[in-house]
Amino acid sequence: MDLAATTQTVLWLAFAVSFVFGAIGQKTHFCTMGAVSDIVNMGEWSRMRMWLLAIGVAILGSAALHAAGLIDLGKSIYRTPAFTWLSYLVGGGCFGVGMVLASGCGSKTLIRIGGGNLKSLVVFLVLGLFAYMTMRGVFGAFRVNVLDKVALTFPGGQDIPALLTTAGLEAKTAFLLAVLAIGGGLTAFSLARRDFWTFDNLLGGLGTGLAVVAAWYVSGHLGYLPEHPDTLEEAFLATNSGRMEALTFVAPQAYTLELLMLWSDTSRTLTFAIATVLGVIAGSFAWSLATRSFRWEGFAGIEDTASHLLGAALMGFGGVTAMGCTVGQGITGFSTLALGSIVTFLAIVASAAAMLKFQYWRLMREA
C-alpha cells in the first residue's frame, strides 16, 4: 500500500464530505441553536426535527456500516469504558450557553464564515484558542484532574447495546434493538408530520446524517490499517486522536489554528479534522457565491462583541470537556449510541433553552 497516496485520498474525501456538509448547512439553515430557539420562542419544531432526523439517519447508516464489518464503532473515542458524566454535563452545559451567546455552534460558526460573517471569524479564533487551552493548556489540568476524575466505568463499553447485554440480551439482539428503537424512532418522529416534508428540511436532515456516515466510512474504512508498516500497530490515517473520527467542530478548530501558527514545523501536518474545517468553510462559501447570498456582517456594538467572545470561550472549553459539540457529540457521537453522547446532547439542549429564556426575561425586563 502507498501510505502517502492513501493518506491524501482520505484527506481529500474528508474535505469533500465536509464541503457538502457546509453547502447543505448554508442552503437549509441547519442550525442546532436555531432549532432550540425556534421551540423556546415560537413552539416551532421543524429545525429540531431536522436535527433529530440527522441523528436518526446517522445512527441507522453507521450501524449498517458496523454490521457489514466496514467500520468498528468501538474504535471511536465515544464508546470508552469511562463514563465521565460530570464532564459531559459541565461541558455540554457550557457549550449550550456559549452557542446561544455566540449565535451558533461550532459548525454554524464555520458555515457563517463562508457566508461572510466576520463575527464568526472572531468566534472561530477565540473558540479555537480556548479549545486548545482546555486540551493542553491552563484549563487542561482542571479538566483532567477534577472533572474527568468523576466517572463510572463500564468494562464492556458505555454504548447502549453493550449496556443492554449486561441485562442479559444477546449482543446482536441488543445492537439491533437499540438501533431500531433509537435510530428508527428518531427518524420516524421527524418524518411523522407532513408539514415537515419540505425539500430543505429533508435535505438538511438526511444530508447531514449521511455526511456523518460518509465521514465514518472514509476514516474508519478507507483510512484504516490493521498493521501500520512503521509501528506494526493498528492505525487510522491522518487522525489527530489516532482513532476513527467523523465530523466534529471544536477540537478541529484548535488543530487548524495550531497548524497555521506552526506551519514551518514539519511535524505538523494536515489531518482529517483540519480538512473537515476547511471543507465546511469552502462549501458554505461556494453556495453563498452561487446563490449570491454572500454578505459581509460585523458586530453591532460592544455588548454584541462581548457576548460573542464569551460564547466562543464557553464553547471552546465546553466542547473539549464534553468531547464534542452539537455535531461532534449530538450527531457523530450519538450515531455510536454512546451514553455519554446522549447525556451531552441533553445537556446542550437544556442549557441552551435556559439561556434563551434568560435572554427573553432580560429583554422583557429592560422593555
Side-chain angles (χ1 to χ4, degrees), residues 10-357:
V10 168
L11 291 174
W12 276 112
L13 287 176
F15 179 86
V17 168
S18 55
F19 182 97
V20 173
F21 174 92
I24 289 175
Q26 186 65 260
K27 195 283 186 213
T28 65
H29 304 290
F30 185 95
C31 177
T32 48
M33 190 279 286
V36 180
S37 176
D38 287 351
I39 295 174
V40 172
N41 295 325
M42 299 179 291
E44 169 58 48
W45 276 75
S46 291
R47 282 202 282 184
M48 179 58 76
R49 288 178 184 273
M50 198 191 305
W51 188 11
L52 296 178
L53 177 59
I55 297 172
V57 169
I59 291 172
L60 295 174
S62 301
L65 292 178
H66 180 84
L70 296 174
I71 64 172
D72 182 353
L73 293 174
K75 293 176 180 177
S76 68
I77 65 170
Y78 305 104
R79 286 188 168 189
T80 58
F83 176 68
T84 53
W85 60 270
L86 185 60
S87 294
Y88 297 137
L89 290 175
V90 172
C94 288
F95 190 91
V97 171
M99 76 175 184
V100 172
L101 293 174
S103 303
C105 62
S107 62
K108 191 63 177 180
T109 294
L110 301 177
I111 290 169
R112 282 185 167 148
I113 290 174
N117 192 306
L118 297 177
K119 294 193 291 184
S120 292
L121 178 59
V122 174
V123 170
F124 166 77
L125 295 172
V126 176
L127 186 157
L129 172 63
F130 273 79
Y132 201 92
M133 291 165 65
T134 309
M135 285 192 294
R136 303 173 185 174
V138 64
F139 300 127
F142 171 74
R143 174 181 61 84
V144 173
N145 297 324
V146 178
L147 297 179
D148 288 351
K149 291 287 187 181
V150 182
L152 300 174
T153 301
F154 299 106
Q158 61 168 281
D159 55 291
I160 301 299
L163 296 177
L164 289 176
T165 59
T166 63
L169 288 178
E170 193 269 334
K172 289 184 179 179
T173 302
F175 179 75
L176 182 62
L177 178 62
V179 168
L180 293 180
I182 301 176
L186 290 174
T187 302
F189 171 79
S190 301
L191 298 175
R193 291 183 60 104
R194 294 297 300 178
D195 57 0
F196 174 77
W197 288 60
T198 67
F199 179 79
D200 277 7
N201 286 343
L202 294 175
L203 177 63
L206 293 171
T208 301
L210 290 175
V212 169
V213 176
W216 278 134
Y217 180 79
V218 171
S219 175
H221 182 71
L222 299 181
Y224 175 63
L225 293 180
E227 185 178 280
H228 195 286
D230 295 333
T231 63
L232 302 182
E233 296 179 349
E234 180 182 67
F236 293 92
L237 297 178
T239 62
N240 290 93
S241 65
R243 306 180 77 172
M244 182 173 68
E245 297 177 356
L247 300 183
T248 186
F249 297 107
V250 173
Q253 295 190 33
Y255 296 136
T256 303
L257 290 181
E258 180 186 49
L259 179 63
L260 293 175
M261 291 186 295
L262 303 175
W263 186 265
S264 60
D265 182 349
T266 56
S267 66
R268 310 290 175 175
T269 59
L270 186 66
T271 63
F272 183 94
I274 297 172
T276 61
V277 168
L278 300 177
V280 172
I281 296 173
S284 172
F285 179 66
W287 184 263
S288 297
L289 289 184
T291 58
R292 298 183 179 180
S293 59
F294 183 91
R295 297 289 186 276
W296 294 113
E297 182 180 351
F299 291 107
I302 293 177
E303 184 175 351
D304 189 33
T305 304
S307 175
H308 281 76
L309 291 175
L310 177 59
L314 287 172
M315 284 198 293
F317 170 79
V320 171
T321 299
M323 292 204 314
C325 55
T326 52
V327 173
Q329 282 281 40
I331 303 179
T332 295
F334 212 136
S335 74
T336 71
L337 295 177
L339 183 60
S341 299
I342 299 173
V343 171
T344 301
F345 167 83
L346 295 175
I348 289 173
V349 172
S351 60
M355 189 62 196
L356 286 164
K357 289 181 179 181

